[in-house]
Amino acid sequence: MDEPLTAPPLHHADGAPVRILVVDDEPDVTDVLAGALTGEGWEVRAAADGSTALRTAAEFRPDAVVLDWMLPDLDGLQVLRALRREAPSVCVLFLTARDAVEDRIAGITAGGDDYVTKPYSLEEVIARLRGLLRRAGMTAGTGTAWLAVGDLAMDEEAREVRRGGAVVDLSRTEFELLRFLMRNPRRVLSKEQILDRVWAYDFGGRAHVVELYISYLRRKIDAGRSPMIHTVRGVGYVLKPGQ
């Protein structure tokens, strides 16, 4: 999918962040999903069962819910019906291993907006959520163009970068490199992709350019802090929130 490479962040018309509730009883699943969705600049909460999900939804008022079908107390359809009674307009994306046609029909008939079966890719989940949120009236590319990954924030219009509230001074090239990384949080980017997007070079013996500027960024972004820029040996680089 090409959308995550360039897609601007979605938010409410007043600039407030999108709120997502992830409901799944597998901690590894919720941790990965919550991290990826937070990387989109969205506010994320998680719940491990249906009862907790309904209590959290009443307080958190999510714009969208990523809902596992099989939960330890209520099933996904029960949770969905209860959500719809309290918040008829909330977007619901089912996430489940049940891929039979009758199950998909049951989920959509009960009021689900979309359906992703396991195993899935994070890119697909994000793309489907973005589609649901756009249809629900969320906007992109208006107002201040902020990107946020963990405690790292970038104002694209003012060309200002802050980490933990402290301003980070970057050169033009460093800024463009960081912008590309921040638009693709938790996604491993190859040196070829980085050269093409940041320098518009065809790849060919210029890996040292990427390595050099990654080292510059690390000195400014990660110095004295929990690292955010990571090397995936033999593949490329990935930006993700520090621990």
Side-chain angles (χ1 to χ4, degrees):
M1 287 187 183
D2 290 331
E3 184 182 18
L5 292 173
T6 58
L10 290 174
H11 48 70
H12 288 265
D14 63 0
V18 168
R19 297 181 298 276
I20 308 290
L21 174 61
V22 178
V23 186
D24 198 298
D25 62 341
E26 298 181 46
D28 290 345
V29 171
T30 55
D31 287 349
V32 170
L33 274 174
L37 300 179
T38 299
E40 288 291 302
W42 301 339
E43 188 175 349
V44 182
R45 299 275 182 89
D49 57 60
S51 299
T52 303
L54 294 176
R55 289 195 300 270
T56 303
E59 180 268 326
F60 183 49
R61 300 179 64 84
D63 300 297
V65 179
V66 180
L67 179 60
D68 187 26
W69 188 294
M70 302 298 293
L71 296 168
D73 52 355
L74 309 173
D75 67 32
L77 291 182
Q78 291 174 303
V79 175
L80 172 60
R81 293 187 184 105
L83 284 170
R84 283 279 182 252
R85 287 194 295 269
E86 300 299 323
S89 63
V90 67
C91 302
V92 177
L93 174 67
F94 271 119
L95 188 67
T96 176
R98 301 179 65 160
D99 60 354
V101 172
E102 55 268 28
D103 290 332
R104 294 199 296 272
I105 292 173
I108 299 301
T109 301
D113 296 292
D114 206 346
Y115 198 109
V116 177
T117 58
K118 300 177 181 179
Y120 58 86
S121 71
L122 290 174
E123 288 84 359
E124 180 182 10
V125 172
I126 291 170
R128 287 179 183 255
L129 277 174
R130 289 179 67 89
L132 294 177
L133 291 165
R134 281 194 297 266
R135 291 196 289 275
M138 303 301 154
T139 59
T142 59
T144 302
W146 279 98
L147 296 175
V149 180
D151 65 348
L152 181 65
M154 172 182 284
D155 183 338
E156 294 184 278
E157 293 179 356
R159 298 185 72 82
E160 180 178 279
V161 174
R162 293 176 179 266
R163 179 153 189 205
V167 174
V168 180
D169 293 322
L170 300 177
S171 69
R172 185 194 67 79
T173 301
E174 290 166 351
F175 183 91
E176 294 303 327
L177 173 56
L178 182 62
R179 173 154 58 181
F180 185 46
L181 293 171
M182 291 185 71
R183 284 181 173 178
N184 297 277
R186 296 181 180 272
R187 179 172 181 170
V188 180
L189 301 170
S190 69
K191 293 174 184 177
E192 295 95 326
Q193 288 175 304
I194 293 171
L195 280 167
D196 180 63
R197 295 301 179 110
V198 178
W199 282 272
Y201 290 165
D202 291 328
F203 186 71
R206 297 189 178 91
H208 68 283
V209 174
V210 178
E211 294 164 2
L212 182 63
Y213 274 88
I214 287 289
S215 71
Y216 292 161
L217 272 186
R218 280 179 167 146
R219 292 173 195 168
K220 296 183 177 183
I221 299 299
D222 290 343
R225 305 178 176 98
S226 177
M228 294 185 69
I229 303 172
H230 302 269
T231 300
V232 180
R233 193 172 299 278
V235 183
Y237 302 96
V238 60
L239 178 78
K240 54 187 179 181
Q243 297 300 315

